[in-house]
Each structure stands twice: as C-alpha cells, then as structure tokens.
Amino acid sequence: MRFTQLLIPTSKEAPSDAVLASHIYLMRAGYIQSVGSGLYNFLPLGKRVLDNVRRVAKEELDRAGCQEVDLSFVTPVSLWKESGRFEKYGKELLRFKDRKNNDFVLGPTHEEMMVNMVSQTVRSYKQLPINLYQIKTKFRDEIRPRFGLMRGREFLMKDGYSFASSEDGMKADFDLMEKTYSRIFKRLGLNYRIVEADSGAIGGSASKEFMVIADSGEDTIVICDNCEYAANIEAAKRAMVACDADEPEISISSKFQTIDIKSIDDLSAFFHVDPYYLIKTVAKKALYDGGESKIVLFALRGSDELEETKACNSIDANELVDINEEELRIAGLVAGYMGPSNLSEEIIVVYDEGLRDGRSLICGANEENYHFVGYDLRGVEVTYKDLVAVQSGDGCPKCNGKLKHTKGIEVGHIFQLGTKYSSALKAEFLDENGKSKPFMMGTYGIGISRLLAAIIEQNHDDRGCIWTKESSPFAVHIIISNIKKEEELEAGEELYSDLRSRGIEVLLDDRKERFGFKIKDFELIGVPLAVVVGKNLTDGKMEIITRDGLDKVEIKSSDVLDEILRRLS
RNA sequence: CGGAGUGUAGCGCAGUCUGGUAGCGCACCUGGUUUGGGACCAGGGGGUCGAAGGUUCGAGUCCUUUCACUCCGACCA
C-alpha cells in the first residue's frame, strides 16, 4: 500500500488520558481512534493487525478441527434467564428492548446461544464430539473501561465451545484447546504463561488462563521459581505455612481489655504475639440472586490477607461488597473488635484453612475495647475454606520452591464446564444406550482485540510499536527519503513492485515529506523491517533497518530484494 | 458504587477567580525556500465555548439543572 493512499493519522501528541504504552502508540500511530468510553474505531492499520491476529487464531483452530460459525449478536433475554446468568452477570449485560417491547441483551459471550443452537441440531452421540467457535464483537458494559484496547466495552473475541459425550471427551477437547492456544500465542510472538485460574461468572470446574507477561498487566499471577506451577492469584494455592514464632502461653480463655487497639499491628505489639496467632476478621456483604444479601465474616490468620475472589466463591455469592458503618452497627459488629464467635445467627462465618484446629488465638470479642484471648478451634464445628491471598515468598504447593508475584494480561481462558449450561438449558443427546444425557462442554476464549494491546505492551520502545512477524500490518516498510529525487523515487517504486509481485505486504512511504518525519513515522508504526532509499543510492546502496533494536545495514541496491526475501523467510 | 476533576478548533491547552469583539501550540490549505532525524518564511480556513434554562444592557466567564468524559478507590477492620 502507498502511504499517500492510506488513512494513517499519525501524531506527535498522545491523548492525555492514555497511560499504557499500547494505548499511546496505537493511538499515535493511527491504528485506533477513541469514540467513547471503552469504544474504539479501528483504522486501516488497526484493522490489518486485527485481521492478522484473527487469521492466526482461525488457522490454528481449523487445524485442530474446530468449525467457525457466527451467531446473532443480539440475544433474547429468555435464554439468559434460563441459564441463570441474567442476574449473575449483572450490570455488565447491556439490556434493551425492541419495538415490540421484548427484552434483549448484547452478547458478552455466547454459551447460551451456542448451547441453544447445538441442542436444536445435534441429537446423537454419533455427532459428537464437536467444537464450534466464532470470532465476533462482544459487548460488556464494564464498570470502568480503561487502558485503551486492554479493557474496552466493545471488543473482538474468539469464543469457542466444545460438546462431548463424556467427561473424558471433554477433557480431551480441553487438552487439545490448551495445545492449540499455545500454538496461537507462540505464532504471535508472545511471551506467555499458562496459569491455573478462577472460573468467574462463566462457572465450571477446571480452568486455565493464558497470561502475557507484562508489568502493566491487570492480573496478578503467582509463579514458582522452581517448577512449572503458575496460577492467577484468585486461584493460587500455597504450601501450609508454619510459624517460627512461639505460640503464646495462655492459661485461661478470657476477655481482655484492649482500649484503642484495633489493627493487627497494634494487637501484635500489645500482646507481644506474632500476627500468626491473631485472627483477622473481614466483614463483607454477600449479594445473591433476587437482591438477597447476607453479612459474612471471613476469619483468617493475622499474617494473611484475604483473597476476595476466593472468599466470594467460598459462599457461592454473586458478589462481595463492603459493609457500611450503619450495617455493621445493625449486625452488632464493632470495627476493630470483630471476631468469629458470639455472633447473631444470621451472620455467616467462614474460616480459612490455615486456621484449622488453631489454638491459643486472639480475636475480637465483638465488643468495643475488648479482645478475646485463648480462642481454640479444636473440636469446634466450623466451615473451613481456602481464603488467603498467596504472598510473595510463600511455599509452592507442588514442590519446595518459592512463589513470587508477577503481572500478566489475560489473553486466553479455557474452561471445563461439564453440564452446567447443557443441564440448565436442557441440551441433551442420546447416548449408545438410547438414554438422554446433557452435553459435556468446554468453553474457550481469546481476546483478539486485546491481543493488539498485549503485543505492544510486550513489544515496544520509547519510539513506538514493534510488531511481531505474524501480527505486523506490513512485512516491509519502504521509505523514499526524498521523492523529488527521480532516482530515489524510481528505485523505491521498483523495489515496491518487486516485493509486491512476490506476494509480500509492503508499505511504501511516498509522501512529500522530509526524511526525519518519515523515519519517525516508521518507528511509531513499528513494521519490523524497513528499507530506506535515500542519499547512499548514489553509491549504489540502500539501508535496511530492523525495527527491534534499530540496527541499520547498508546493502548494495541490487542485493536488497534477495536480502529482504531471506529475512522474511 | 464512593471520592476528585475536566468539557473552549481535528489533537493538546490558556482564558473563567475579577462579565465587555474567541486565543496559543500542533495539525490542515495556498505560495515559495528547504530535503538523512518530526524544517523555515509569508498568507489563509476552521468555534452553537458539552447541553438546557436563568441573572444581566451584555455570559466562555455568575447561578440552577442536566449530559458526557477522565482519574483515584473499592483497602483495613
């Protein structure tokens, strides 16, 4: 393509709200344009990259035997009510009515639609397994869209769904998708890691996320420095923690006056006891379907932190929200002096596994200025769940390595769903014995538009984008230094048509601009390879620039074509 | 949802306190000079000052309402 014919509005200035490199450069280099909160237009360059990422995904999925379909974007609300997700998904669902006053949502994901489609067309186990996918715009009304393409409201996603007749079949599908996804992200040139994950609003049993490692990532992931263990903090486990500090010597269990001693630190200092022996009690309001809510106390060791997603899952709630002072008071709770015992019946208490059979503990007495000393959990019937946020330095649950935190961008997520949706939506097939059974499903997503951001987060410098080979909008960027010089123009044009005739995607900068202007645009746009046709043409040479590292070499003009072909192969 | 802030040319901003002809930089158009690191000179186009209502002789500026966008937070107990 010729620069003079392409819409590439590059600019020196970035929008003031852009903080991430990917956001800044994709805007500045004219890939995308903002149209509203979390909404973007893809300009020609952006569309080319999007198509490339989509193509890589499609090729690998088709290779793995998946079939592409395209389901209606507007989906009837009835399906969402049937699956129970209408409430669970909450405000992220964009709802609206048509002229006949029927309710619809814009699809944020398509489990319901796909199950519905398959249940109408697949009747027999002989038709299984089957794996269907689509690459389609999705809409989620995010609480707070930000970071450009990273967290938009409208975005392009590949969503796939597998249907099997047995659990083994489902697991085989899942494993195949894990391999396929690995191939896709590898081809896109990404440094990624597969981590164990929470299933979130999708539901289901096992799930894994594909995380692109980047400091700007929104997710915290926990990785082992010794083995392959890696998990999202929302699902990360750790080896049991022992405490080096001595257990406090407590002769009798009793209330103890602790005026103005409210925090774990204060308590620890006041009693000269390691926080390990203190109970931290976190109060939350849990929201359920139908507007129901319950007060829940999560008890964990003072040395640990609560992981909210785990906490939410532990009580099967839709969401956890903070409790305001009024609600605390009504529940008979005192901030700073909360404890898991002596509570009204309506309050649910969940203990962290780390407290199992704990003794000689200190906790709030649920009374202003008093703590309870010598709390003993041995032989007491309580609910234990894994609630803690794994911290850097904790032991790996798989080996004796140490865990550490790092940041990642979630670009893929694969789930084993089992029969969650097929049961709810009564999607069944007849097995070998003529018996009706719900499909064993898996669901698999890739954030196609988010990948553009992820690729740039991982591949950029202070001058602009550096695309990877398969994602780049063009393979080669030819810069004609001064189009007024006939020989430069001719040589540039000739190289351009030679490359094009070999099927190579070339961007030719034929604008009537100065050299500096053009080279800055090349650096901003980030095509991996550039050829400068300029002043050293008089010595019969051209310059090849590698965008990553900006290495330059002069090559005899007659050898340039071969050199480029060699590098691209 | 809670808190803070911003809406003025395509983009980035000043002007608002103290009411009196709508400004700057970049970008854009014309002509000329320049041509290897975002050039220079001259000329030019472009605005319901987010919207609605009010106060006033007069409102970008003051008052009321509203909409949109952005940022921070959603922790501890």
Side-chain angles (χ1 to χ4, degrees):
Chain A
M1 293 289 286
R2 290 168 184 279
F3 220 121
T4 48
Q5 291 168 1
L6 262 176
L7 184 63
I8 311 180
T10 58
S11 97
K12 259 198 279 196
E13 289 177 76
S16 56
D17 57 308
V19 285
L20 290 193
S22 62
H23 191 187
I24 292 169
Y25 292 141
L26 288 174
M27 299 276 278
R28 278 192 53 202
Y31 285 88
I32 57 170
Q33 183 188 47
S34 162
V35 284
S37 184
L39 306 173
Y40 293 89
N41 287 334
F42 283 85
L43 304 182
L45 282 184
K47 174 65 174 154
R48 291 181 75 95
V49 181
L50 207 53
D51 285 349
N52 286 341
V53 174
R54 176 203 277 263
R55 176 181 45 79
V56 170
K58 178 170 172 56
E59 282 175 11
E60 293 300 331
L61 289 165
D62 289 352
R63 219 175 90 101
C66 306
Q67 303 172 59
E68 188 172 9
V69 294
D70 202 353
L71 305 185
S72 171
F73 180 35
V74 171
T75 69
V77 118
S78 55
L79 283 174
W80 286 82
K81 290 199 165 145
E82 250 181 276
S83 71
R85 279 211 296 183
F86 187 67
E87 299 223 33
K88 183 105 182 161
Y89 225 96
K91 284 173 254 171
E92 283 187 19
L93 271 183
L94 185 67
R95 301 136 198 242
F96 57 94
K97 291 175 188 296
D98 67 3
R99 64 203 298 166
K100 293 175 191 158
N101 219 29
N102 293 321
D103 291 305
F104 289 91
V105 303
L106 280 190
T109 170
H110 276 78
E111 280 79 10
E112 285 82 357
M113 290 286 285
M114 194 66 86
V115 171
N116 184 258
M117 195 267 269
V118 169
S119 71
Q120 286 175 32
T121 49
V122 177
R123 290 282 137 87
S124 158
Y125 73 94
K126 292 176 195 163
Q127 291 169 279
L128 298 174
I130 193 167
N131 192 325
L132 301 165
Y133 73 96
Q134 55 174 350
I135 296 173
K136 193 174 185 68
T137 298
K138 301 285 188 291
F139 193 93
R140 293 182 190 172
D141 202 358
E142 293 278 350
I143 311 174
R144 196 174 154 205
R146 59 185 130 178
F147 304 142
L149 294 184
M150 202 71 92
R151 182 166 294 282
R153 290 195 292 174
E154 187 179 296
F155 56 98
L156 190 66
M157 177 166 122
K158 171 263 158 181
D159 52 319
Y161 310 85
S162 66
F163 298 81
S165 55
S166 66
E167 185 164 352
D168 285 349
M170 172 183 78
K171 285 184 174 158
D173 292 336
F174 184 83
D175 291 344
L176 177 60
M177 281 304 107
E178 180 172 343
K179 286 198 187 76
T180 304
Y181 275 32
S182 297
R183 294 178 61 96
I184 291 169
F185 297 126
K186 193 171 171 208
R187 272 182 66 180
L188 288 172
L190 289 161
N191 172 20
Y192 69 95
R193 188 111 187 205
I194 301 173
V195 309
E196 290 178 18
D198 171 63
S199 301
I202 304 278
S205 48
S207 100
K208 290 183 181 178
E209 287 169 334
F210 288 74
M211 290 284 184
V212 168
I213 306 300
D215 291 338
S216 56
E218 290 189 86
D219 289 283
T220 299
I221 56 184
V222 171
I223 57 178
C224 176
D225 63 4
N226 185 48
C227 73
E228 283 300 297
Y229 182 76
N232 191 306
I233 185 112
E234 295 175 351
K237 304 227 184 307
R238 66 181 187 189
M240 264 302 171
V241 178
C243 184
D244 298 335
D246 289 335
E247 184 175 299
E249 287 178 25
I250 297 169
S251 44
I252 44 162
S253 301
S254 65
K255 251 177 22 178
F256 211 95
Q257 194 169 40
T258 49
I259 295 170
D260 260 357
I261 309 291
K262 295 183 175 183
S263 70
I264 292 293
D265 284 349
D266 291 349
L267 277 173
S268 172
F270 182 81
F271 286 109
H272 303 289
V273 163
D274 191 280
Y276 182 82
Y277 297 104
L278 304 175
I279 297 183
K280 177 185 285 187
T281 311
V282 181
K284 291 279 174 186
K285 187 161 77 173
L287 305 183
Y288 292 90
D289 286 358
E292 254 183 80
S293 69
K294 289 177 188 165
I295 305 268
V296 191
L297 294 188
F298 297 101
L300 53 160
R301 290 195 181 267
S303 48
D304 287 329
E305 298 293 329
L306 183 71
E307 209 317 298
E308 211 167 297
T309 302
K310 287 184 180 178
C312 189
N313 291 343
S314 74
I315 50 166
D316 237 353
N318 289 348
E319 197 186 349
L320 291 182
V321 296
D322 291 349
I323 296 188
N324 63 38
E325 287 181 23
E326 179 69 8
E327 290 165 322
L328 270 184
R329 200 178 52 73
I330 292 169
L333 298 168
V334 189
Y337 299 95
M338 281 191 265
S341 64
N342 239 342
L343 294 161
S344 87
E345 291 284 309
E346 283 129 50
I347 298 175
I348 302 170
V349 181
V350 184
Y351 287 78
D352 179 60
E353 288 288 357
L355 280 169
R356 192 179 280 279
D357 295 332
R359 55 180 184 177
S360 304
L361 297 159
I362 299 174
C363 63
N366 290 317
E367 186 177 333
E368 180 93 39
N369 293 332
Y370 284 97
H371 276 80
F372 192 85
V373 176
Y375 193 62
D376 196 332
L377 279 164
R378 286 173 301 180
V380 184
E381 275 285 312
V382 296
T383 308
Y384 289 106
K385 298 272 185 177
D386 175 24
L387 300 175
V388 296
V390 170
Q391 296 179 42
S392 210
D394 284 349
C396 174
K398 294 274 171 72
C399 71
N400 50 15
K402 287 272 176 257
L403 298 174
K404 62 174 185 182
H405 286 180
T406 179
K407 291 286 182 181
I409 301 166
E410 181 190 349
V411 292
H413 201 157
I414 58 178
F415 299 80
Q416 291 180 20
L417 281 180
T419 61
K420 180 180 159 83
Y421 292 89
S422 47
S423 298
L425 297 167
K426 298 182 186 58
E428 301 180 330
F429 64 96
L430 293 181
D431 72 4
E432 299 90 324
N433 306 313
K435 274 181 65 180
S436 231
K437 278 187 176 171
F439 295 106
M440 289 298 288
M441 291 180 59
T443 180
Y444 318 94
I446 294 179
I448 302 286
S449 50
R450 176 181 282 182
L451 273 166
L452 268 66
I455 291 168
I456 296 306
E457 283 307 315
Q458 215 170 57
N459 303 281
H460 67 268
D461 58 18
D462 57 1
R463 300 182 184 209
C465 305
I466 304 173
W467 292 103
T468 56
K469 191 172 167 185
E470 293 231 31
S471 61
S472 179
F474 294 96
V476 183
H477 184 147
I478 301 173
I479 298 167
I480 298 174
S481 178
N482 183 352
I483 61 157
K484 285 197 177 166
K485 292 198 173 145
E486 294 248 334
E487 63 278 14
E488 287 186 17
L489 184 60
E490 270 171 32
E493 290 280 358
E494 191 185 332
L495 180 60
Y496 176 61
S497 61
D498 282 350
L499 285 167
R500 272 166 52 103
S501 69
R502 285 169 174 76
I504 293 166
E505 297 282 2
V506 193
L507 176 62
L508 177 71
D509 195 341
D510 54 346
R511 291 176 300 172
K512 187 187 158 199
E513 294 287 352
R514 294 163 66 90
F515 176 77
F517 196 88
K518 294 184 180 181
I519 200 93
K520 288 287 185 196
D521 271 354
F522 154 66
E523 287 163 356
L524 192 55
I525 291 167
V527 173
L529 208 56
V531 181
V532 177
V533 184
K535 64 179 183 187
N536 39 25
L537 196 62
T538 48
D539 304 329
K541 288 180 175 173
M542 293 181 186
E543 194 171 70
I544 295 184
I545 305 178
T546 309
R547 177 60 188 89
D548 189 3
L550 294 172
D551 293 328
K552 299 168 189 177
V553 285
E554 287 191 0
I555 304 256
K556 262 174 42 190
S557 300
S558 51
D559 296 341
V560 166
L561 183 63
D562 287 341
E563 175 63 14
I564 291 174
L565 294 174
R566 191 185 65 75
R567 292 208 195 190
L568 291 180
S569 65

